[in-house]
Amino acid sequence: MDAMPLGTDRTDRTKKKRTELAHFLRSRRAALSPEDVGLVTSARRARVGLRREEVAVLAGVSASWYAWLEQGRPIKVSDGILDAISRALRLGEPERVHLYRLADANPPLPLSDPDLPDSGLFQRMVDTQLLGPACVIDRYWEVLAVNEPAAEVLSLGREGNGNFLTSLFTGSHGERYLNRAEVARRMTARFRLQSSYGADDARYEEMADRLAAGDTRFAELWERHEVEEFGPITVELDHPEEGPVPFVLFTMDLDEAARTRLLVYLPPGVSGPEAAWP
């Protein structure tokens, strides 16, 4: 059997990125209305979302060129055009970075300094992390280590809950969240953003395909193409002894490449991410 040419894998990855780029642009366009971007329409519209021509006008590009981009055609895009499209589609900072990566451009410098959590939250984490559930996961969300509360309250590392993301949808781990739908939505958005960083890693695509095939909830969330950075969020757990208990789920990268992450469920005492993350 002849060996596959070395350039074939790169060509396939490039095509996949173009397909992802086209899907992302269409999904963001569909999420906006003319009123969201200050456009006035005189007639009742048969479809929701912005038209391609309207995005092109807002971005200052030709309608045909933008159509080619949204169709995934092999065209080069400058940083200036990507920023113009980001503004036209009202993209947030994580979405803007995601757009750059899908367009094979270097990640952009942030438009503004990122908000930092209050230093008290970091202190609370190091002081109390062993009192609440805590676990370490790798870049594929495989659970590498759990403490006893995480095993008892979340069943992590037990009962087939060896992968944090997968078991959130298909395992007893996910059943412990009273706000499971919101946690699932946000974790899917984080996995989507993370997978764009490793676009050349086929395992992310395999994970997504397997989960989408096995769980309609994940398939629907994946189709939304939402992206989100890792940050503190409020989760409500069904504690086996205490009943409903709110926690702040705090995530920290343990190395520069985010190959491992520490997830700490801070016990009650912090009102929520709104208070800890201005």
Side-chain angles (χ1 to χ4, degrees):
M1 182 176 179
D2 294 336
M4 183 177 294
L6 293 177
T8 301
D9 285 348
R10 182 174 296 277
T11 299
D12 289 344
R13 290 194 297 267
T14 299
K15 289 180 179 178
K16 179 180 180 294
K17 269 192 172 182
R18 289 175 186 154
T19 301
E20 286 279 289
L21 173 61
H23 184 274
F24 181 59
L25 291 172
R26 290 195 299 269
S27 70
R28 295 291 77 92
R29 176 166 59 84
L32 292 173
S33 69
E35 292 76 16
D36 292 332
V37 296
L39 296 178
V40 178
T41 57
S42 56
R44 184 171 182 176
R45 299 168 70 108
R47 299 168 61 184
V48 297
L50 292 179
R51 297 189 176 104
R52 284 177 177 171
E53 296 80 5
E54 292 169 334
V55 176
V57 169
L58 291 168
V61 299
S62 72
S64 58
W65 185 91
Y66 183 79
W68 294 340
L69 182 65
E70 207 174 85
Q71 290 165 1
R73 296 197 188 186
I75 55 178
K76 297 295 291 183
V77 190
S78 69
D79 291 359
I81 292 297
L82 289 174
D83 280 343
I85 293 173
S86 296
R87 291 190 294 270
L89 293 174
R90 303 299 193 265
L91 301 185
E93 192 62 25
E95 293 171 318
R96 177 171 166 259
V97 172
H98 188 56
L99 175 63
Y100 265 69
R101 291 187 181 278
L102 292 179
D104 263 338
N106 290 327
L109 294 174
L111 295 175
S112 59
D113 292 332
D115 293 330
L116 296 176
D118 183 85
S119 59
L121 186 58
F122 285 124
Q123 189 61 50
R124 183 168 176 80
M125 182 197 72
V126 298
D127 286 344
T128 67
Q129 61 177 304
L130 296 179
L131 298 181
C135 68
V136 176
I137 62 173
D138 68 11
R139 68 174 70 193
Y140 305 113
W141 300 61
E142 294 292 331
V143 177
L144 302 180
V146 298
N147 65 359
E148 191 61 25
E152 290 292 336
V153 177
L154 294 163
S155 298
L156 282 172
R158 299 179 177 178
E159 304 170 10
N161 298 304
N163 184 284
F164 189 97
L165 183 66
T166 299
S167 62
L168 181 61
F169 289 91
T170 63
S172 55
H173 162 220
E175 296 170 359
R176 308 309 302 175
Y177 298 90
L178 297 177
N179 60 334
R180 182 179 188 177
E182 176 65 7
V183 174
R185 182 187 69 81
R186 300 188 70 171
M187 290 301 173
T188 301
R190 294 173 180 202
F191 178 67
R192 170 72 85 166
L193 183 62
Q194 180 187 8
S195 67
S196 72
Y197 298 155
D200 293 340
D201 190 336
R203 185 167 172 182
Y204 289 116
E205 183 176 5
E206 293 168 1
M207 287 178 62
D209 289 345
R210 187 168 58 250
L211 253 178
D215 191 275
T216 57
R217 293 166 299 182
F218 178 84
E220 292 170 359
L221 291 170
W222 191 249
E223 185 65 17
R224 294 185 190 180
H225 210 128
E226 295 180 351
V227 293
E228 177 180 313
E229 295 279 7
F230 283 83
I233 63 171
T234 294
V235 300
E236 189 170 12
L237 301 182
D238 184 12
H239 196 284
E241 297 178 357
E242 302 177 27
V245 181
F247 288 82
V248 174
L249 175 54
F250 189 98
T251 307
M252 176 175 287
D253 294 343
L254 298 181
D255 58 84
E256 187 174 355
R259 290 170 296 185
T260 52
R261 285 191 167 100
L262 172 67
L263 278 66
V264 180
Y265 293 75
L266 300 182
V270 177
S271 61
E274 294 79 9
W277 195 281

